[in-house]
Amino acid sequence: MRTPGTGVGDDYLESEEGADRTPLLNETQPDAVPACCSARYNLAILAFFGFFLLYALRVNLSVALVDMVEPNTSLTKNTTSSVCPEHSSTLNVPRNTTGKKYSWDSDTQGWILGSFFYGYIITQIPAADLGVGYLIAVRALEGLGEGVTFPAMHAMWSSWAPPLERSKLLSISYAGAQLGTVVSLPLSGLICYYMNWVYVFYIFGALGILWFFFWIWLVSDTPQTHRRISHTEREYILSSLKDQLSTQKSVPWEPMLKSIPLWAIVVAHFSYNWTFYTLLTLLPTYMKEILRFDVQENGLLSALPYFGCWVCIILSGQIADYLREKRNLSTVCVRKTFTLIGMIGPAVFLVAAGFIGCDYTLAVAFLTISTTLGGFCTSGYSINHLDIAPSYAGILLGITNSFATIPGMVGPVIAKLLTHHNTMGEWQTVFYIAASINLFGAIFFALFGSGEVQDWATCKELSSYWQGLILKLLLYTMKGTNLTRDQEL
């Protein structure tokens, strides 16, 4: 007869109580499969080019709009600042001037830039000719189409990314967004200069269609359905995720929406996107109206901050997983540290950029550093959905991205409303607002973020925990029965 508390049920129960946690630091992991030519890294690279085109299509209007609007318009709401002198000694007149010009004031431009986020363009060229309202409507349709991409990609990575490779794989795939911005901004400027602004939309749209055919041909939703994945890699991925995924068919909406770590991501995502989208859509305007760069310089210099961000995303993903795997830092420690760097750093340099006057070098340097440091967030809150609920990562990103899209809708409008006269003081206010929101989001995530799989995210039809508990009760029942028989004898 065994002493109470030392039976099989206890051992089983104790072994299972920690099973639902992230299997990272002290647990034995399956041997990693080399990255070269692997299916999971092929997916990351193809996703990289997908997000490259996604953001190229998203930001090209920011540069084209500079060339679409009539210069020196008589509308009082569209005033060009005279605080800084003309940057170029000679005015570069575009070689091709056939592009149609529109008399859109500052407020109208703000609504056009923000309309993308009311949905994510099938066609922009006819839309401009049919009027502002139609352009806003089809721009919203583009947003509608692109809006599903991030949640869908997160959902795919929940089945493809081994826990200790999440930062690397997701940073590679999502870094394409920054490189798309880097290439699209200067290239759009060159297309406007040498060709016509309409070709900005034709060229990037055609490339998007080409990528679509490669994606359909080469990608599968899960390792189980992939036609070319090796058996070794499939088993490696599935075994690394076996204790993290839920088998229940229904989504646990109530505990999910009550989860504080989820709302920590919501606040951080909203806050970061306010600064990101404000600069993404209005940096070309700031370069032209305040710093007085022409359309060619504008595109190149507007892209520089996002090149820095792209480099930072790639490096931070490698560093984050190195710290977790080799240095045994906890997931929550890495996520919070990277989020603080990626949100407080940009806030400081964004405010500083508003106080350097017409020093072109410092202005570009501060804006570049601000956006570059934001790249740390990709290995911070941005992939934290997969840490706290791998099975529902796509749903969680859909929730957080819904809130995080609001800054894209209202940020450009508010910024344009605040900069009617394009004075340095007005732009300082825009930067103050963005920096304050960033700071709040960083602090909130640091206080309430988590790095462990949440209990509600690992529920099974009949979880191993409950199996152990039932077994324990049965053993105690059997033990009590034996004691009664002994007493009777």
Side-chain angles (χ1 to χ4, degrees):
M1 206 178 299
R2 294 184 177 178
T3 306
T6 60
V8 176
D10 291 86
D11 296 336
Y12 188 88
L13 181 59
E14 290 172 3
S15 67
E16 291 299 319
E17 282 180 336
D20 287 342
R21 298 303 173 191
T22 307
L24 292 179
L25 303 180
N26 299 317
E27 300 178 22
T28 302
Q29 294 294 299
D31 293 334
V33 175
C36 182
C37 301
S38 64
R40 65 192 188 282
Y41 275 87
N42 288 341
L43 172 62
I45 292 170
L46 199 54
F48 172 91
F49 286 108
F51 284 104
F52 173 97
L53 291 167
L54 187 79
Y55 267 66
L57 290 166
R58 179 181 293 197
V59 304
N60 55 13
L61 182 61
S62 301
V63 176
L65 191 65
V66 174
D67 204 44
M68 293 168 69
V69 177
E70 292 179 351
N72 301 321
T73 178
S74 59
L75 295 174
T76 58
K77 289 187 176 182
N78 237 11
T79 306
T80 299
S81 173
S82 58
V83 173
C84 297
E86 192 73 46
H87 184 65
S88 303
S89 56
T90 58
L91 182 63
N92 289 329
V93 179
R95 295 183 182 180
N96 189 306
T97 57
T98 59
K100 189 173 181 179
K101 304 292 184 181
Y102 301 93
S103 299
W104 293 333
D105 62 27
S106 178
D107 292 348
T108 302
Q109 293 174 53
W111 282 107
I112 291 172
L113 291 171
S115 63
F116 177 91
F117 301 96
Y118 287 95
Y120 256 67
I121 175 179
I122 297 173
T123 171
Q124 295 179 72
I125 312 308
D129 286 331
L130 291 173
V132 173
Y134 193 75
L135 174 58
I136 291 174
V138 295
R139 185 72 176 169
L141 285 178
E142 182 182 10
L144 185 64
E146 293 187 12
V148 300
T149 50
F150 280 95
M153 197 69 243
H154 251 45
M156 287 190 69
W157 280 127
S158 69
S159 299
W160 275 97
L164 288 176
E165 295 184 20
R166 280 177 185 157
S167 301
K168 288 182 281 193
L169 289 169
L170 272 75
S171 64
I172 291 172
S173 58
Y174 293 147
Q178 307 304 323
L179 191 62
T181 304
V182 169
V183 173
S184 178
L185 287 172
L187 186 57
S188 297
L190 291 172
I191 293 171
C192 289
Y193 185 85
Y194 289 107
M195 300 172 68
N196 185 319
W197 60 261
V198 299
Y199 291 102
V200 170
F201 308 114
Y202 289 147
I203 292 171
F204 287 112
L207 289 173
I209 294 172
L210 179 63
W211 171 87
F212 168 76
F213 288 112
F214 279 100
W215 180 264
I216 293 298
W217 179 39
L218 296 173
V219 170
S220 297
D221 288 344
T222 64
Q224 295 96 316
T225 59
H226 198 283
R227 296 185 295 275
R228 287 169 292 275
I229 189 173
S230 68
H231 175 75
T232 304
E233 183 182 6
R234 181 186 288 113
E235 290 304 312
Y236 164 62
I237 295 172
L238 295 179
S239 61
S240 68
L241 295 171
K242 63 181 180 180
D243 293 325
Q244 293 209 337
L245 301 178
S246 172
T247 59
Q248 69 173 352
K249 298 177 182 179
S250 60
V251 178
W253 288 108
E254 184 176 353
M256 179 188 292
L257 295 176
K258 289 181 178 179
S259 174
I260 298 299
L262 170 60
W263 288 103
I265 302 175
V266 169
V267 173
H269 202 166
F270 176 96
S271 303
Y272 176 83
N273 274 16
W274 188 285
T275 299
F276 181 79
Y277 285 143
T278 296
L279 288 180
L280 187 69
T281 55
L282 295 176
L283 190 56
T285 301
Y286 180 77
M287 292 287 190
K288 177 192 177 186
E289 303 294 351
I290 298 297
L291 301 181
R292 310 292 292 281
F293 290 107
D294 63 36
V295 66
Q296 284 180 298
E297 294 172 310
N298 196 334
L300 290 168
L301 293 175
S302 295
L304 188 59
Y306 300 101
F307 177 76
C309 188
W310 173 68
V311 173
C312 184
I313 288 173
I314 296 294
L315 293 178
S316 66
Q318 304 298 315
I319 294 170
D321 279 348
Y322 171 79
L323 292 174
R324 296 165 67 221
E325 184 176 7
K326 304 297 184 182
R327 296 298 179 182
N328 283 347
L329 288 184
S330 67
T331 298
V332 68
C333 176
V334 172
R335 299 292 182 241
K336 289 183 177 181
T337 300
F338 278 53
T339 298
L340 287 170
I341 296 172
M343 296 182 74
I344 294 178
V348 171
F349 283 96
L350 191 59
V351 171
F355 286 92
I356 44 78
C358 297
D359 189 323
Y360 306 109
T361 303
L362 272 182
V364 174
F366 283 178
L367 289 172
T368 299
I369 294 172
S370 175
T371 308
T372 296
L373 291 175
F376 278 96
C377 285
T378 301
S379 295
Y381 80 83
S382 187
I383 62 174
N384 193 225
H385 315 74
L386 283 161
D387 296 323
I388 66 172
S391 295
Y392 307 106
I395 295 174
L396 296 190
L397 184 59
I399 294 171
T400 66
N401 214 21
S402 295
F403 286 95
T405 300
I406 296 173
M409 295 162 57
V410 302
V413 177
I414 292 176
K416 282 291 186 179
L417 287 172
L418 293 172
T419 56
H420 279 167
H421 300 95
N422 275 312
T423 65
M424 197 70 74
E426 289 176 338
W427 279 95
Q428 285 175 355
T429 302
V430 172
F431 293 157
Y432 275 142
I433 293 172
S436 300
I437 294 174
N438 239 27
L439 183 61
F440 173 77
I443 294 173
F444 194 92
F445 184 81
L447 292 175
F448 302 109
S450 176
E452 293 186 335
V453 179
Q454 302 299 292
D455 292 332
W456 52 263
T458 55
C459 296
K460 316 288 189 208
E461 293 298 334
L462 181 60
S463 70
S464 55
Y465 172 85
W466 289 107
Q467 291 177 21
L469 183 60
I470 292 171
L471 179 58
K472 180 179 178 181
L473 292 173
L474 287 173
L475 288 171
Y476 273 116
T477 301
M478 292 172 62
K479 175 186 169 185
T481 303
N482 290 335
L483 282 173
T484 302
R485 289 179 178 174
D486 290 342
Q487 291 171 353
E488 290 177 350
L489 292 173

